[in-house]
């Protein structure tokens, strides 16, 4: 006798670890740049360049790329843009890792602070958090049938599963360009830029994934001309495209995460040869997980009629989709300019970045706690420092509704800033209103004892001899036809037939005739 098995494809995080460290460096202003009189804005991102796993550890090399906008009192433009890089190397302790493992590492920044040491030197400090994990796809072998001549009884249970169909990383390139309106001066140089994505959506189609969304672009630039006027330009560009995805089919469930990787902004001549066209090239790093729901029947128990049958089982977790949910929350706050700074004359640009610091399963939902980092650029009334920036960290708490969720069901939650509106209240304070959207796909891991092997031996005659050839059995609490048949080595169908049962439902005290 042999079990007929079905491979169920599953995925899991086999190992993960987090490392946090402080990065500090002093930067000398390049000779080609003028002196710094005051700092305006700063931003940066982490680039992972090399991941080298070893025994129970991972070495990570990377770069922190940053941009700084500052004022100068020297002749020419009052605003200057400055870019720089700080290399780092960090060891992450990660139990169970070996040199052959494929480890994925992502990096985030916190508390970026830039201070003025003197007019030619800056101090840069920040905290970098590295998240490392090993994801793997594996098969659970589930018994779905029996091949062989032995007379055995087996029962099946129906299960609805969410099997992993596709698990891979890919990249998606976005190339867009926009030409400045006629009323804007030509571009001499870009001083500051910000690129963000919105309304990004993935859909599963036949052998492909479709991608669509919006690119939000802001640039602050120095225009051509003797006075080098400073101008800002902001626009939204829709994009769409296709990712090849072998094995993908319409109706499958995509659970896809993405991060912006390389970003390039270039100034190009328009049809008249003037520097008025802005080209954008973005690379999205995409983690693709596509699941397929299927219904099947798995053998849960076996017993022999003419032979002694014993089973060998092992514990497994079978996954089913619990819920795919989205939710939104509103954040409001006021931000004040630093004491002693020039007043707010006009708002130029605002941007927000969400951080998700804690997720916890609660009754019928997931409690989310984190913060929204808001940066605001504005025009001041000070001719010596006509531009300024301010930032604030606004905490939030929100419960994403997921009925029937438990702690073991927690899925990966993703958050985005859907809307951000900043308005002036007066010359020192602004009002911030933001809408943050969250989405997650929650799976339930069902603990199951899967039959891995069946051992068939001859009947124990002494045990058989102790059982009566015929008996009237009185049904007790918890009894069913299966355990009664298993106890007396009688097929379930025979119990139904002998007792003229129209259903498998039994009542306490009911009498059954059992014929061996």
């Amino acid at each position: 006798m042999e079990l007929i098995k079905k491979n169920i494809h599953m995925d899991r995080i086999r190992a993960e670890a987090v490392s946090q460290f402080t990065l500090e460096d002093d930067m000398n202003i390049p000779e080609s740049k003028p002196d710094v009189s005051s700092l305006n804005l700063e931003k940066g991102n982490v680039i992972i360049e090399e991941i080298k796993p070893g025994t129970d550890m991972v070495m990570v090399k990377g770069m922190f790329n940053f941009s700084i906008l500052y004022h100068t009192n020297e002749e020419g433009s009052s605003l200057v843009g400055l870019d720089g890089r700080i290399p780092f190397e960090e060891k992450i302790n990660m139990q169970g890792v070996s040199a052959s493992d494929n480890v994925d590492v992502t990096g985030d920044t916190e508390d970026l602070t830039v201070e003025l040491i003197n007019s030619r030197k800056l101090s840069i400090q920040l905290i970098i958090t590295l998240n490392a994990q090993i994801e793997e796809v594996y098969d659970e072998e589930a018994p779905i049938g029996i091949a062989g001549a032995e007379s055995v009884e087996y029962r099946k249970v129906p299960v609805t599963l969410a099997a992993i169909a596709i698990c891979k990383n890919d990249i998606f390139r976005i190339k867009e360009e926009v030409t400045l309106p006629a009323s804007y001066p030509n571009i001499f140089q870009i001083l500051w830029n910000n690129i963000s994505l919105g309304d990004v959506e993935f859909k599963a189609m036949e052998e492909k994934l479709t991608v669509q969304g919006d690119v939000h672009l802001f640039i602050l630039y120095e225009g051509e001309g003797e006075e080098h006027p400073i101008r800002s330009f902001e626009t939204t560009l829709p994009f769409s495209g296709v990712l090849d995805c072998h094995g993908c089919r319409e109706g499958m469930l995509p659970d896809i995460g993405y991060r912006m990787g390389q970003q390039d902004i270039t100034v190009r001549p328009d049809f008249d040869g003037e520097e008025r066209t802005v080209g954008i090239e973005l690379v999205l790093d995409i983690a693709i997980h596509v699941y397929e729901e299927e219904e099947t029947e798995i053998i849960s128990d076996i017993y022999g009629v003419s032979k002694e049958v014993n089973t060998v089982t092992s514990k497994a977790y079978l996954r089913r989709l619990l819920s795919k949910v989205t939710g939104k929350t509103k954040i409001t706050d006021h931000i004040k300019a630093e004491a002693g700074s020039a007043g707010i004359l006009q708002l130029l640009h605002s941007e927000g970045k969400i951080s998700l610091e804690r997720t916890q399963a609660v009754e019928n939902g997931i409690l989310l706690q984190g913060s929204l980092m808001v940066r605001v650029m504005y025009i001041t009334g000070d001719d010596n420092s006509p531009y300024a920036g301010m930032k604030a960290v606004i905490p939030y708490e929100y419960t994403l509704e997921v009925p029937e969720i438990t702690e073991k069901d927690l899925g990966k939650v993703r958050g985005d800033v859907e809307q951000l509106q900043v308005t002036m209240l007066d010359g020192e304070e602004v009002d911030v209103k933001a809408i943050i959207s969250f989405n997650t796909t929650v799976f339930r891991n069902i603990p199951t004892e899967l039959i891995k092997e069946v051992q068939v031996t001859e009947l124990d005659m002494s045990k058989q001899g102790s059982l009566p050839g015929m008996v009237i059995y009185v049904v007790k609490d918890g009894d069913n036809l299966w355990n009664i048949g298993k106890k007396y080595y009688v097929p379930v169908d025979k119990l139904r037939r002998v007792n003229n049962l129209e259903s498998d439902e039994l009542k306490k005290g009911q009498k059954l005739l059992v014929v061996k």
Side-chain angles (χ1 to χ4, degrees):
M1 184 172 63
E2 183 179 354
L3 288 174
I4 301 172
K5 297 181 180 181
K6 177 179 181 178
N7 286 335
I8 301 173
H9 303 301
M10 308 290 287
D11 65 317
R12 63 187 172 197
I13 304 298
R14 181 166 64 82
E16 57 185 338
V18 177
S19 178
Q20 194 173 69
F21 62 97
T22 300
L23 190 64
E24 300 181 34
D25 197 15
D26 292 341
M27 179 185 184
N28 293 317
I29 305 299
E31 293 183 2
S32 59
K33 298 287 185 179
D35 288 353
V36 181
S37 62
S38 62
L39 298 171
N40 193 307
L41 284 177
E42 70 282 331
K43 66 177 181 178
N45 65 299
V46 176
I47 303 296
I48 305 299
E49 298 179 324
E50 183 182 356
I51 302 170
K52 191 174 181 180
T55 303
D56 294 332
M57 53 79 68
V58 180
M59 292 300 301
V60 180
K61 288 184 180 181
M63 197 72 63
F64 173 66
N65 293 345
F66 62 87
S67 298
I68 297 171
L69 189 67
Y70 69 87
H71 282 103
T72 181
N73 291 329
E74 295 186 12
E75 292 185 4
S77 175
S78 61
L79 277 180
V80 181
L82 177 65
D83 296 325
R85 311 176 74 194
I86 304 175
F88 65 84
E89 184 173 352
E90 181 73 5
K91 175 183 176 182
I92 304 176
N93 294 318
M94 196 172 182
Q95 194 71 27
V97 178
S98 65
S100 60
D101 283 327
N102 183 19
V103 184
D104 180 59
V105 180
T106 58
D108 290 303
T109 63
E110 299 176 34
D111 301 330
L112 173 60
T113 303
V114 180
E115 295 180 344
L116 185 63
I117 298 175
N118 56 52
S119 62
R120 304 298 301 175
K121 196 171 187 178
L122 303 177
S123 171
I124 302 168
Q125 297 180 346
L126 70 146
I127 296 173
I128 293 180
T129 302
L130 298 178
N131 293 275
Q133 67 177 28
I134 301 174
E135 185 176 27
E136 65 179 7
V137 175
Y138 65 101
D139 284 343
E140 288 287 6
E141 292 186 326
I144 59 171
I146 293 177
E150 289 84 357
S151 177
V152 296
E153 285 287 291
Y154 62 87
R155 64 176 175 179
K156 292 183 174 182
V157 291
V159 291
T160 301
L161 303 173
I164 183 75
I166 302 162
C167 180
K168 67 174 185 175
N169 295 324
D170 206 338
I171 61 172
F172 180 74
R173 299 183 185 275
I174 301 173
K175 292 185 178 181
E176 300 290 341
E177 64 178 29
V178 59
T179 300
L180 297 179
S183 58
Y184 283 68
N186 295 346
I187 300 173
F188 176 68
Q189 64 174 336
I190 294 178
L191 301 171
W192 188 263
N193 71 78
N194 181 67
I195 299 175
S196 61
L197 300 178
D199 298 328
V200 180
E201 183 179 1
F202 298 86
K203 286 186 178 179
M205 306 294 287
E206 294 299 319
E207 298 295 320
K208 64 185 179 182
L209 288 170
T210 61
V211 190
Q212 64 179 21
D214 295 323
V215 178
H216 304 296
L217 169 68
F218 170 80
I219 60 170
L220 186 72
Y221 71 95
E222 186 178 356
E224 289 183 349
E226 293 183 1
E227 296 182 358
H228 293 287
I230 304 295
R231 294 288 186 270
S232 64
F233 175 72
E234 195 161 7
T235 189
T236 297
L237 303 170
F239 71 89
S240 61
V242 172
L243 279 170
D244 291 333
C245 194
H246 178 65
C248 189
R249 294 191 302 276
E250 191 172 358
M252 286 184 170
L253 175 65
D255 183 32
I256 299 174
Y258 66 91
R259 295 172 63 94
M260 275 202 294
Q262 182 180 343
Q263 307 175 28
D264 289 321
I265 295 182
T266 56
V267 180
R268 304 168 185 169
D270 62 6
F271 289 112
D272 297 326
E274 297 181 325
E275 301 288 317
R276 304 184 56 78
T277 298
V278 179
I280 305 170
E281 293 189 18
L282 304 178
V283 175
L284 300 188
D285 298 318
I286 301 178
I288 299 174
H289 298 78
V290 181
Y291 297 89
E292 183 174 25
E293 284 194 281
E294 58 180 277
E295 294 184 0
T296 188
E297 290 186 327
I298 295 175
I299 295 177
S300 62
D301 197 7
I302 306 173
Y303 69 85
V305 175
S306 60
K307 300 280 187 178
E308 197 77 49
V309 176
N310 294 308
T311 60
V312 178
T313 65
S314 67
K315 191 170 185 178
Y317 290 91
L318 300 182
R319 176 184 298 152
R320 71 172 176 86
L321 175 66
L322 180 64
S323 184
K324 185 175 178 66
V325 296
T326 60
K328 300 178 182 180
T329 185
K330 188 175 181 180
I331 297 176
T332 59
D333 203 357
H334 293 171
I335 304 177
K336 283 190 174 183
E338 292 184 7
S341 62
I344 304 170
L345 195 64
Q346 178 186 340
L347 296 179
L348 271 183
H349 173 66
S350 60
E351 56 192 67
K353 179 183 177 182
I354 184 177
S355 67
L356 187 56
E357 295 153 11
R358 183 188 176 201
T359 59
Q360 179 184 355
V362 295
E363 185 176 0
N364 290 325
I366 303 174
L367 176 64
L368 308 174
Q369 294 176 322
S371 58
L372 173 68
M373 166 67 80
V374 178
R375 288 187 173 89
V376 180
M377 184 182 294
Y378 59 92
I379 299 175
T380 75
D382 186 351
D383 292 337
N384 294 322
S385 299
Y387 298 91
M390 57 183 175
K391 61 183 179 181
V393 178
I394 305 173
Y396 68 83
E397 182 173 297
Y398 173 69
T399 299
L400 185 62
E401 293 185 6
V402 185
E404 301 180 6
I405 192 173
T406 67
E407 289 184 5
K408 295 181 180 180
D409 300 328
L410 195 59
K412 184 175 179 59
V413 181
R414 301 180 180 92
D416 291 297
V417 181
E418 188 171 290
Q419 295 181 24
L420 177 63
Q421 182 180 5
V422 179
T423 55
M424 282 181 58
L425 294 176
D426 52 39
E428 296 181 350
E429 193 173 21
V430 299
D431 178 63
V432 177
K433 290 184 174 68
I435 295 178
I436 301 176
S437 63
F438 299 95
N439 69 84
T440 185
T441 303
V442 182
F443 296 95
R444 170 153 293 170
N445 286 328
I446 306 170
T448 307
E449 289 289 335
L450 290 181
I451 299 173
K452 296 297 183 180
E453 184 182 343
V454 176
Q455 298 171 345
V456 180
T457 59
E458 294 298 323
L459 288 174
D460 184 344
M461 299 312 295
S462 60
K463 182 178 179 181
Q464 285 289 309
S466 66
L467 295 175
M470 182 182 298
V471 66
I472 299 296
Y473 184 84
V474 181
V475 176
K476 302 186 292 295
D477 280 334
D479 276 341
N480 53 52
L481 290 180
W482 177 265
N483 59 32
I484 295 171
K486 187 175 183 179
K487 178 178 180 180
Y488 290 99
Y489 294 79
V490 176
V492 171
D493 186 60
K494 184 176 181 179
L495 286 175
R496 291 194 197 99
R497 191 172 60 254
V498 169
N499 291 276
N500 296 318
L501 297 176
E502 295 181 356
S503 73
D504 289 351
E505 184 178 349
L506 300 179
K507 296 180 181 179
K508 182 180 179 181
Q510 182 177 352
K511 295 179 181 179
L512 296 178
L513 174 62
V514 180
V515 180
K516 188 168 66 173

